[in-house]
Amino acid sequence: MSSPSPAAAIPPDTAPAVPPGASTEAVPASADPAGVAPAGNGAAGGSTAGPSARQVTAIVGVLSLAVFMSSLDLFIVNLAFPYIGREYHGTSLSSLSWVLNGYTIVFAAVLVPAGRWADRVGRRRLFVAGLLAFCAGSLCCGLAPGVSLLIAARVVQAVGAGLMVPASLSLLLASVPPAARSQAIGTWSALGALGAALGPVIGGSLVQFSWRWVFWINLPVGLAAVLMARRVVPESKDEHVQGSPDLVGAAMLAASVGLVALALVKVPGWGWGSASFIGLLVAAVACAAAVVARSRRHHSPVIELSLLRSRTFSGAFAASIFYYAAFGAFVLNSVEFLTGVWHYSAVQAGLAIGPGPLMVLPFARLVSPWLAARLRGAGRVAVIGCAVNAGAQLLWFTQITAHPAYLTHLLPAQLLGGAGVGLAIPSLLGAGSASLTPSRFGTGSGILNMARQVGTVLGVASLIAILIHVAPADPIATYRHGLALIIAFFAAAGLVSAVLLTGRPVQAPAAAGGPPQAGRRPARGT
């Protein structure tokens, strides 16, 4: 679950275990999610005293650091693209895009199976394993002698991120007392959003030394997190989980998303009606159909179809795909414009993007919960956030110019966009979690975070299909087309949110394998 947590939009005065818009009957405040039982901390017999405030701070810090790193690496490579391209002469932008897309595709495929494995073998064990794999992948990325090996190393990184992110949220829910859980998950969520937004800023600074430091910077941070996790984070697992996750289904999901991304990247050369393009789309649909078929009969599917029967959950899932398609395209479009049209250096481009991310944390931690409490639902805040993001890009669409005019033309759109990110990201996931029972909180969050990765891949691939036609004589026209795409994605996310996430809260499905909650019908077809 690479993305910010659903509970970021929970107002501080709300019961910590209850997502915005959910009734206290659906998710009791006293219930621990997913049968969480700390291993070795009195889970099996007798109760033990909860962690102190200082211990909670240390636990939240370690787990938030991990999600920050994984989110950061989604977009930190954007400003490294020109430097990588110069070192590996002749590499096209479409080829370099797979340094980003390879990471996000594998990340998406690993999230849900990894969450199930964490419940089965131990969450801290898988969290530490993910950190070590992430560090190993980062080391190999920096040592890669060519683009092909760089992409392969990014896949290793993505596996590590996919292991540690769902385990980190599960550990947070298991380790933090209910009274502090709302604020802790809000911090985890906000830092995940901040990591994604700060990627180009930090990347722009590091490439001044070498683009390889974009990856090597993870080593000291990741290894420190491993040592701290072993010292301060208690182990936990779900003693009731049964069966292994559907690895074949995860592979089919990765293939489906990858084939669509490949088709979008190649379509400028092949043509929209070419046999190759249509063939890739047909293969992608076939893989997606296989995922659905396996999810209907597998005991631990990649996508729990019963969750998608919930109006709010399926709405958040669809809206997240559109939103992150817009967000991924926006980041890449900004970097390419600043470096390619305004001819900013990597540092200048990073600093130009920087004010936007500075708006994310206060809006995610303060404004979004405040609005969710007063508007009675995170879904309404998500609509506002998507509208603000679309408005920011529309403002930039009207102001974009070939001559640098940062303070008067770009900065207002950057600040407005950062505020929109802080409102939309935690609210989308918070609205989606409203229909989840505690036993499905981890699985549901993993699926919603998977939507984030899928959307990012599709957004980046769609933008690449536009930017590949940039004309040196008139680049503004092409970048306006890119902005129109981004605005359309944000608008689609807002429309889906308005239709599906602003109604009355729906009933939570009963936990798989457990009795239905009082006064509710059991969910069908789990």
Side-chain angles (χ1 to χ4, degrees), residues 474-495:
D474 184 21
I476 297 301
T478 303
Y479 282 100
R480 275 208 173 104
H481 293 156
L483 287 171
L485 173 73
I486 295 166
I487 293 169
F489 278 139
F490 277 134
L495 180 61

PDB file of all heavy atoms in Angstrom, residues 474-495:
ATOM      1  N   ASP A 474       7.374  25.048 -31.985  1.00  0.00           N
ATOM      2  CA  ASP A 474       6.188  25.438 -31.210  1.00  0.00           C
ATOM      3  C   ASP A 474       5.896  24.381 -30.154  1.00  0.00           C
ATOM      4  O   ASP A 474       4.933  23.605 -30.259  1.00  0.00           O
ATOM      5  CB  ASP A 474       4.983  25.616 -32.134  1.00  0.00           C
ATOM      6  CG  ASP A 474       3.756  26.121 -31.377  1.00  0.00           C
ATOM      7  OD1 ASP A 474       3.927  26.690 -30.284  1.00  0.00           O
ATOM      8  OD2 ASP A 474       2.626  25.924 -31.881  1.00  0.00           O
ATOM      9  N   PRO A 475       6.714  24.340 -29.093  1.00  0.00           N
ATOM     10  CA  PRO A 475       6.500  23.308 -28.069  1.00  0.00           C
ATOM     11  C   PRO A 475       5.255  23.556 -27.216  1.00  0.00           C
ATOM     12  O   PRO A 475       4.698  22.627 -26.632  1.00  0.00           O
ATOM     13  CB  PRO A 475       7.767  23.384 -27.219  1.00  0.00           C
ATOM     14  CG  PRO A 475       8.235  24.797 -27.388  1.00  0.00           C
ATOM     15  CD  PRO A 475       7.859  25.198 -28.783  1.00  0.00           C
ATOM     16  N   ILE A 476       4.809  24.805 -27.139  1.00  0.00           N
ATOM     17  CA  ILE A 476       3.698  25.142 -26.244  1.00  0.00           C
ATOM     18  C   ILE A 476       2.428  24.389 -26.624  1.00  0.00           C
ATOM     19  O   ILE A 476       1.677  23.929 -25.760  1.00  0.00           O
ATOM     20  CB  ILE A 476       3.449  26.660 -26.252  1.00  0.00           C
ATOM     21  CG1 ILE A 476       4.681  27.394 -25.717  1.00  0.00           C
ATOM     22  CG2 ILE A 476       2.239  26.997 -25.395  1.00  0.00           C
ATOM     23  CD1 ILE A 476       5.083  27.000 -24.317  1.00  0.00           C
ATOM     24  N   ALA A 477       2.182  24.244 -27.916  1.00  0.00           N
ATOM     25  CA  ALA A 477       0.967  23.560 -28.362  1.00  0.00           C
ATOM     26  C   ALA A 477       0.934  22.127 -27.841  1.00  0.00           C
ATOM     27  O   ALA A 477      -0.107  21.641 -27.369  1.00  0.00           O
ATOM     28  CB  ALA A 477       0.890  23.575 -29.879  1.00  0.00           C
ATOM     29  N   THR A 478       2.074  21.437 -27.899  1.00  0.00           N
ATOM     30  CA  THR A 478       2.120  20.050 -27.426  1.00  0.00           C
ATOM     31  C   THR A 478       1.916  19.978 -25.920  1.00  0.00           C
ATOM     32  O   THR A 478       1.179  19.111 -25.422  1.00  0.00           O
ATOM     33  CB  THR A 478       3.462  19.413 -27.808  1.00  0.00           C
ATOM     34  OG1 THR A 478       3.644  19.504 -29.219  1.00  0.00           O
ATOM     35  CG2 THR A 478       3.505  17.957 -27.383  1.00  0.00           C
ATOM     36  N   TYR A 479       2.551  20.891 -25.183  1.00  0.00           N
ATOM     37  CA  TYR A 479       2.392  20.859 -23.729  1.00  0.00           C
ATOM     38  C   TYR A 479       0.978  21.254 -23.315  1.00  0.00           C
ATOM     39  O   TYR A 479       0.484  20.802 -22.277  1.00  0.00           O
ATOM     40  CB  TYR A 479       3.438  21.758 -23.061  1.00  0.00           C
ATOM     41  CG  TYR A 479       4.789  21.097 -23.002  1.00  0.00           C
ATOM     42  CD1 TYR A 479       5.784  21.404 -23.920  1.00  0.00           C
ATOM     43  CD2 TYR A 479       5.066  20.127 -22.040  1.00  0.00           C
ATOM     44  CE1 TYR A 479       7.018  20.785 -23.883  1.00  0.00           C
ATOM     45  CE2 TYR A 479       6.294  19.497 -21.984  1.00  0.00           C
ATOM     46  CZ  TYR A 479       7.269  19.825 -22.913  1.00  0.00           C
ATOM     47  OH  TYR A 479       8.486  19.193 -22.868  1.00  0.00           O
ATOM     48  N   ARG A 480       0.312  22.073 -24.118  1.00  0.00           N
ATOM     49  CA  ARG A 480      -1.094  22.365 -23.837  1.00  0.00           C
ATOM     50  C   ARG A 480      -1.949  21.103 -24.019  1.00  0.00           C
ATOM     51  O   ARG A 480      -2.905  20.880 -23.272  1.00  0.00           O
ATOM     52  CB  ARG A 480      -1.587  23.479 -24.765  1.00  0.00           C
ATOM     53  CG  ARG A 480      -1.288  24.882 -24.262  1.00  0.00           C
ATOM     54  CD  ARG A 480      -2.302  25.883 -24.778  1.00  0.00           C
ATOM     55  NE  ARG A 480      -2.093  27.186 -24.148  1.00  0.00           N
ATOM     56  CZ  ARG A 480      -1.511  28.224 -24.752  1.00  0.00           C
ATOM     57  NH1 ARG A 480      -1.085  28.092 -26.001  1.00  0.00           N
ATOM     58  NH2 ARG A 480      -1.366  29.365 -24.127  1.00  0.00           N
ATOM     59  N   HIS A 481      -1.600  20.291 -25.010  1.00  0.00           N
ATOM     60  CA  HIS A 481      -2.311  19.016 -25.174  1.00  0.00           C
ATOM     61  C   HIS A 481      -2.105  18.140 -23.939  1.00  0.00           C
ATOM     62  O   HIS A 481      -3.039  17.466 -23.476  1.00  0.00           O
ATOM     63  CB  HIS A 481      -1.821  18.300 -26.424  1.00  0.00           C
ATOM     64  CG  HIS A 481      -2.187  19.000 -27.693  1.00  0.00           C
ATOM     65  ND1 HIS A 481      -1.472  18.838 -28.869  1.00  0.00           N
ATOM     66  CD2 HIS A 481      -3.175  19.886 -27.980  1.00  0.00           C
ATOM     67  CE1 HIS A 481      -2.010  19.575 -29.818  1.00  0.00           C
ATOM     68  NE2 HIS A 481      -3.052  20.225 -29.301  1.00  0.00           N
ATOM     69  N   GLY A 482      -0.878  18.133 -23.424  1.00  0.00           N
ATOM     70  CA  GLY A 482      -0.613  17.374 -22.208  1.00  0.00           C
ATOM     71  C   GLY A 482      -1.419  17.896 -21.032  1.00  0.00           C
ATOM     72  O   GLY A 482      -1.967  17.114 -20.238  1.00  0.00           O
ATOM     73  N   LEU A 483      -1.515  19.226 -20.907  1.00  0.00           N
ATOM     74  CA  LEU A 483      -2.310  19.807 -19.828  1.00  0.00           C
ATOM     75  C   LEU A 483      -3.791  19.471 -19.983  1.00  0.00           C
ATOM     76  O   LEU A 483      -4.492  19.241 -18.988  1.00  0.00           O
ATOM     77  CB  LEU A 483      -2.117  21.325 -19.800  1.00  0.00           C
ATOM     78  CG  LEU A 483      -0.771  21.815 -19.266  1.00  0.00           C
ATOM     79  CD1 LEU A 483      -0.612  23.315 -19.494  1.00  0.00           C
ATOM     80  CD2 LEU A 483      -0.621  21.486 -17.785  1.00  0.00           C
ATOM     81  N   ALA A 484      -4.282  19.454 -21.227  1.00  0.00           N
ATOM     82  CA  ALA A 484      -5.674  19.079 -21.450  1.00  0.00           C
ATOM     83  C   ALA A 484      -5.929  17.650 -20.988  1.00  0.00           C
ATOM     84  O   ALA A 484      -6.984  17.350 -20.396  1.00  0.00           O
ATOM     85  CB  ALA A 484      -6.023  19.234 -22.929  1.00  0.00           C
ATOM     86  N   LEU A 485      -4.983  16.753 -21.242  1.00  0.00           N
ATOM     87  CA  LEU A 485      -5.102  15.379 -20.765  1.00  0.00           C
ATOM     88  C   LEU A 485      -5.160  15.338 -19.242  1.00  0.00           C
ATOM     89  O   LEU A 485      -6.002  14.636 -18.653  1.00  0.00           O
ATOM     90  CB  LEU A 485      -3.915  14.556 -21.275  1.00  0.00           C
ATOM     91  CG  LEU A 485      -3.798  13.132 -20.728  1.00  0.00           C
ATOM     92  CD1 LEU A 485      -4.861  12.239 -21.356  1.00  0.00           C
ATOM     93  CD2 LEU A 485      -2.400  12.561 -21.003  1.00  0.00           C
ATOM     94  N   ILE A 486      -4.280  16.086 -18.590  1.00  0.00           N
ATOM     95  CA  ILE A 486      -4.222  16.098 -17.130  1.00  0.00           C
ATOM     96  C   ILE A 486      -5.516  16.644 -16.547  1.00  0.00           C
ATOM     97  O   ILE A 486      -6.075  16.088 -15.588  1.00  0.00           O
ATOM     98  CB  ILE A 486      -3.006  16.935 -16.664  1.00  0.00           C
ATOM     99  CG1 ILE A 486      -1.705  16.257 -17.095  1.00  0.00           C
ATOM    100  CG2 ILE A 486      -3.027  17.121 -15.153  1.00  0.00           C
ATOM    101  CD1 ILE A 486      -0.480  17.151 -16.979  1.00  0.00           C
ATOM    102  N   ILE A 487      -6.019  17.736 -17.121  1.00  0.00           N
ATOM    103  CA  ILE A 487      -7.276  18.322 -16.649  1.00  0.00           C
ATOM    104  C   ILE A 487      -8.416  17.312 -16.803  1.00  0.00           C
ATOM    105  O   ILE A 487      -9.272  17.174 -15.925  1.00  0.00           O
ATOM    106  CB  ILE A 487      -7.579  19.618 -17.418  1.00  0.00           C
ATOM    107  CG1 ILE A 487      -6.544  20.691 -17.067  1.00  0.00           C
ATOM    108  CG2 ILE A 487      -8.986  20.118 -17.103  1.00  0.00           C
ATOM    109  CD1 ILE A 487      -6.599  21.914 -17.970  1.00  0.00           C
ATOM    110  N   ALA A 488      -8.432  16.606 -17.929  1.00  0.00           N
ATOM    111  CA  ALA A 488      -9.486  15.612 -18.159  1.00  0.00           C
ATOM    112  C   ALA A 488      -9.434  14.498 -17.111  1.00  0.00           C
ATOM    113  O   ALA A 488     -10.484  14.064 -16.603  1.00  0.00           O
ATOM    114  CB  ALA A 488      -9.350  15.027 -19.561  1.00  0.00           C
ATOM    115  N   PHE A 489      -8.231  14.040 -16.762  1.00  0.00           N
ATOM    116  CA  PHE A 489      -8.097  13.003 -15.733  1.00  0.00           C
ATOM    117  C   PHE A 489      -8.590  13.512 -14.378  1.00  0.00           C
ATOM    118  O   PHE A 489      -9.321  12.819 -13.658  1.00  0.00           O
ATOM    119  CB  PHE A 489      -6.647  12.541 -15.629  1.00  0.00           C
ATOM    120  CG  PHE A 489      -6.236  11.519 -16.657  1.00  0.00           C
ATOM    121  CD1 PHE A 489      -4.993  11.596 -17.264  1.00  0.00           C
ATOM    122  CD2 PHE A 489      -7.078  10.481 -17.006  1.00  0.00           C
ATOM    123  CE1 PHE A 489      -4.599  10.650 -18.212  1.00  0.00           C
ATOM    124  CE2 PHE A 489      -6.699   9.535 -17.951  1.00  0.00           C
ATOM    125  CZ  PHE A 489      -5.454   9.626 -18.549  1.00  0.00           C
ATOM    126  N   PHE A 490      -8.172  14.731 -13.997  1.00  0.00           N
ATOM    127  CA  PHE A 490      -8.619  15.290 -12.713  1.00  0.00           C
ATOM    128  C   PHE A 490     -10.136  15.463 -12.701  1.00  0.00           C
ATOM    129  O   PHE A 490     -10.804  15.179 -11.695  1.00  0.00           O
ATOM    130  CB  PHE A 490      -7.946  16.636 -12.448  1.00  0.00           C
ATOM    131  CG  PHE A 490      -6.565  16.541 -11.859  1.00  0.00           C
ATOM    132  CD1 PHE A 490      -5.523  17.304 -12.363  1.00  0.00           C
ATOM    133  CD2 PHE A 490      -6.303  15.712 -10.783  1.00  0.00           C
ATOM    134  CE1 PHE A 490      -4.253  17.232 -11.819  1.00  0.00           C
ATOM    135  CE2 PHE A 490      -5.035  15.625 -10.220  1.00  0.00           C
ATOM    136  CZ  PHE A 490      -4.001  16.394 -10.746  1.00  0.00           C
ATOM    137  N   ALA A 491     -10.681  15.948 -13.815  1.00  0.00           N
ATOM    138  CA  ALA A 491     -12.129  16.138 -13.893  1.00  0.00           C
ATOM    139  C   ALA A 491     -12.863  14.797 -13.788  1.00  0.00           C
ATOM    140  O   ALA A 491     -13.915  14.705 -13.128  1.00  0.00           O
ATOM    141  CB  ALA A 491     -12.491  16.844 -15.201  1.00  0.00           C
ATOM    142  N   ALA A 492     -12.332  13.762 -14.429  1.00  0.00           N
ATOM    143  CA  ALA A 492     -12.944  12.434 -14.348  1.00  0.00           C
ATOM    144  C   ALA A 492     -12.922  11.917 -12.918  1.00  0.00           C
ATOM    145  O   ALA A 492     -13.906  11.338 -12.429  1.00  0.00           O
ATOM    146  CB  ALA A 492     -12.228  11.465 -15.285  1.00  0.00           C
ATOM    147  N   ALA A 493     -11.800  12.127 -12.218  1.00  0.00           N
ATOM    148  CA  ALA A 493     -11.715  11.710 -10.816  1.00  0.00           C
ATOM    149  C   ALA A 493     -12.740  12.451  -9.969  1.00  0.00           C
ATOM    150  O   ALA A 493     -13.406  11.855  -9.107  1.00  0.00           O
ATOM    151  CB  ALA A 493     -10.306  11.961 -10.281  1.00  0.00           C
ATOM    152  N   GLY A 494     -12.893  13.760 -10.210  1.00  0.00           N
ATOM    153  CA  GLY A 494     -13.871  14.527  -9.462  1.00  0.00           C
ATOM    154  C   GLY A 494     -15.293  14.102  -9.755  1.00  0.00           C
ATOM    155  O   GLY A 494     -16.138  14.038  -8.847  1.00  0.00           O
ATOM    156  N   LEU A 495     -15.578  13.796 -11.032  1.00  0.00           N
ATOM    157  CA  LEU A 495     -16.921  13.370 -11.416  1.00  0.00           C
ATOM    158  C   LEU A 495     -17.283  12.040 -10.761  1.00  0.00           C
ATOM    159  O   LEU A 495     -18.384  11.871 -10.214  1.00  0.00           O
ATOM    160  CB  LEU A 495     -17.011  13.262 -12.935  1.00  0.00           C
ATOM    161  CG  LEU A 495     -18.374  12.814 -13.501  1.00  0.00           C
ATOM    162  CD1 LEU A 495     -19.464  13.813 -13.124  1.00  0.00           C
ATOM    163  CD2 LEU A 495     -18.293  12.659 -15.018  1.00  0.00           C
TER     164      LEU A 495
END
